[in-house]
Amino acid sequence: MVRDVQSSIVEKSVRVVDLLAQAPNKMNQLEIMQASGLSKSSVYRILSILVGQGLVQFDEREKLYSVGPKLISWARAAWQKTDLNLIEDQDLASLSGATGFNVAVSVLSDASVTFIRTHIPKPYKFAIKVGGQSELHCTAAGKVFLAYMTDTEQAAYYAAAKLEKFTESTITDEDALRDEVGVVRKQGYAFSNREEFWQIRGIAAPILDYDDRILAAISLWSPTHYVSAEGLVALAPKLMDAAAEISARFGRLLS
């Protein structure tokens, strides 16, 4: 009985942390309760525990909750234990300086895009956060990861994916998504045009190792009022050059 109760608390706590990690903005207690499906008393108790442990942060002035410093430090520590620390902050800053737009590096985690590095000279309310996650079908980085999956991995993804509609531009038809993903490896980058958020456009390219296995994706993204779809796509060569230079550190030969 004790084990069941503890498991329930852990499960509910994970649900709340996951919700906050994926949310584009801070959330209040009512929003957390509605989105999680948990009772008011459960949400209050779990938030109290998580805030006390530093896994969730509470803004006293705005009465809003967000991911806490301990969770972010865990994400960074996990990243630093991988070879991906060969991707340097200067890589992101240089690409941002050359293009004028925001840059992010992400990895594939549990059929989701997880962002591990960002450089954001143009702050925006939908800005990507370290540790934040997005769906594969509606993001440029996600389409890159899909393109580099094996046939078996892709089949498993499509069998389980819901292809949720986030905006009028979100691709929710499996055949249409397969067609778009199919050209990513040929052209060297993926494009997302207002598919996750109506106000955001992005392009992404793969970071590969010596055996052409994808390690991460590097993205350029911007609020739509800063750049047209054509303008962002025109920057794809610079993005792919940056991805190729980083990939060379992992043993991939420059073409």
Side-chain angles (χ1 to χ4, degrees), residues 190-237:
F191 180 44
S192 174
N193 187 19
R194 296 181 157 187
E195 295 171 39
E196 182 181 25
F197 300 107
W198 186 248
Q199 304 91 333
I200 299 293
R201 294 187 174 103
I203 54 176
I207 295 172
L208 307 169
D209 70 5
Y210 60 91
D211 204 26
D212 268 0
R213 292 173 298 194
I214 189 167
L215 302 173
I218 185 166
S219 309
L220 277 176
W221 67 272
S222 171
T224 54
H225 59 263
Y226 285 122
V227 64
S228 65
E230 295 78 13
L232 191 59
V233 169
L235 296 173

Side-chain angles (χ1 to χ4, degrees), residues 86-105:
L86 292 175
I87 304 171
E88 301 173 354
D89 289 337
Q90 187 56 46
D91 294 318
L92 281 67
S94 296
L95 180 58
S96 178
T99 61
F101 295 110
N102 302 319
V103 182
V105 174

